[in-house]
Amino acid sequence: MAKLALTESHAWVALDNIVRREEGVIPRKYRELIALAVAFTTQCPYCIEVHAKGAKTAGASREEITESSMIAAALRAGGAATHGAMALKFYEEV
């Protein structure tokens, strides 16, 4: 794919590399845990693999990885609840 869309591929890799930055205000371990939580909600197995390994390399514990998955699950459930409330609002508009 990179050969077929070289400019876009380079842009995507550069964007993806912000997680691995060391000079950011947010430490790399937390960047990886955030990325991992997002990967849980998007359900991307490749992202989960990359960021689980990245989190471990950055010093995250098994407990921190587990907690990030539970936080992601809670937020995903919250989204379903708020969409349910939105459905009731739309229901009332008919």
Side-chain angles (χ1 to χ4, degrees):
M1 287 176 60
K3 291 179 184 178
L4 297 172
L6 188 60
T7 301
E8 290 78 6
S9 295
H10 285 288
W12 180 79
V13 168
L15 181 62
D16 191 52
N17 281 334
I18 66 172
V19 175
R20 290 179 278 289
R21 282 182 53 211
E22 296 291 346
E23 71 280 357
V25 176
I26 299 172
R28 176 149 179 228
K29 179 173 95 167
Y30 299 119
R31 289 173 176 271
E32 291 288 358
L33 289 169
I34 291 167
L36 190 54
V38 171
F40 293 143
T41 63
T42 62
Q43 300 176 340
C44 174
Y46 305 107
C47 299
I48 292 168
E49 178 182 4
V50 166
H51 294 298
K53 290 176 178 178
K56 181 179 181 181
T57 300
S61 67
R62 292 172 60 87
E63 293 81 7
E64 288 172 315
I65 289 172
T66 302
E67 199 169 294
S68 74
S69 74
M70 301 311 289
I71 292 167
L75 290 173
R76 190 150 175 116
T82 59
H83 282 95
M86 184 182 291
L88 291 173
K89 176 185 173 207
F90 295 142
Y91 178 87
E92 294 300 325
E93 291 177 358
V94 176

